[in-house]
Amino acid sequence: MKFIQLFDRSQIEARARELGREISDHYGEEPLVCVCVLKGAYAFFTDLMRNLTIHPTMDFVRLSSYADQTSRKSKMVFSKDMEIDIRDKHVLVVEDIVDTGHSMSFLLKVLEARGPRSIKIAAMIDKTERREVDVNVDFVGFPLDRGYIVGYGLDYAEQYRELDGIYDLKFSEA
Ligand code: IMP
Ligand code: MG
């Protein structure tokens, strides 16, 4: 396996600063709840939150998918749900990477039913090649068209989350 660095720590930090400013300007004094999607988003969430000049409340969710015996699709559930009530508040969901879009569209649907004032998405990586559901990322760290990415929270089989850069994982010497 080979790791090809796409973004180093200083590039990620610079981008988190820009996004932090953009998000702060966007919401201003409005009540905002920032939601970290575990586990992958933990590193990006931390850096992004530290770059805000506003004071949101924060919460965490974790999704898991399991095979549905009655259809070929997989089903998504919360393995950890939010604790803060989002009714009439602005919600910013912070994800590591949006790929096919299935997890985001599930999460948005569930959260929308709880009556927030608005929902937007921030994702460190917006990977468009395999998009199957129409999901629009409002605050994009870095757009990518292809590849399997690890580091800075992102895993391959639960490893490599600790890397402080973002790497394209090459499985063979193709
Ligand atoms: P989805 O395909 O948009 O539903 O993405 C589901 C989840 O798969 C993401 O939140 C990530 O946790 C994971 N994922 C998708 N692409 C990658 C990748 O390139 N590296 C690591 N994890 C990924
Ligand atoms: Mg994820």
Side-chain angles (χ1 to χ4, degrees):
M1 247 165 15
K2 269 192 0 196
F3 295 81
I4 297 168
Q5 192 175 66
L6 299 180
F7 307 103
D8 66 18
R9 190 183 179 111
S10 68
Q11 289 172 300
I12 299 168
E13 278 170 357
R15 192 70 192 111
R17 267 197 299 280
E18 290 170 351
L19 283 178
R21 206 173 304 136
E22 213 180 298
I23 290 166
S24 303
D25 289 348
H26 179 78
Y27 290 103
E29 297 305 309
E30 301 273 310
L32 174 66
V33 184
C34 292
V35 182
C36 174
V37 184
L38 295 170
K39 303 177 187 173
Y42 83 89
F44 180 54
F45 187 76
T46 305
D47 278 353
L48 191 61
M49 294 300 103
R50 281 199 289 240
N51 281 292
L52 297 178
T53 54
I54 54 177
H55 305 289
T57 53
M58 297 177 197
D59 212 339
F60 299 82
V61 296
R62 178 148 165 72
L63 302 174
S64 59
S65 58
Y66 62 92
D68 181 354
Q69 303 305 324
T70 60
S71 82
R72 287 177 49 244
K73 285 197 287 187
S74 64
K75 276 241 160 89
M76 208 102 55
V77 291
F78 282 115
S79 52
K80 190 221 171 293
D81 198 346
M82 293 185 64
E83 291 160 22
I84 292 178
D85 183 6
I86 59 172
R87 180 163 299 277
D88 297 330
K89 294 172 190 154
H90 296 287
V91 174
L92 179 66
V93 176
V94 180
E95 248 293 29
D96 50 5
I97 183 166
V98 178
D99 185 17
T100 65
H102 285 292
S103 358
M104 257 309 129
S105 94
F106 165 79
L107 186 56
L108 292 185
K109 214 182 293 166
V110 174
L111 297 185
E112 261 155 21
R114 298 177 183 178
R117 202 181 295 179
S118 73
I119 304 189
K120 288 193 185 293
I121 304 173
M124 180 172 69
I125 305 277
D126 186 10
K127 196 166 73 176
T128 47
E129 186 188 30
R130 305 200 312 145
R131 194 64 50 86
E132 289 173 8
V133 191
D134 189 22
V135 170
N136 177 55
V137 181
D138 303 282
F139 302 97
V140 178
F142 303 103
L144 270 189
D145 53 355
R146 60 181 67 234
Y148 192 88
I149 312 307
V150 296
Y152 198 67
L154 286 160
D155 74 305
Y156 170 64
E158 291 298 332
Q159 281 187 295
Y160 314 121
R161 296 189 194 274
E162 79 288 354
L163 300 174
D164 71 355
I166 296 175
Y167 297 82
D168 190 0
L169 193 56
K170 294 285 181 221
F171 294 93
S172 65
E173 305 295 292

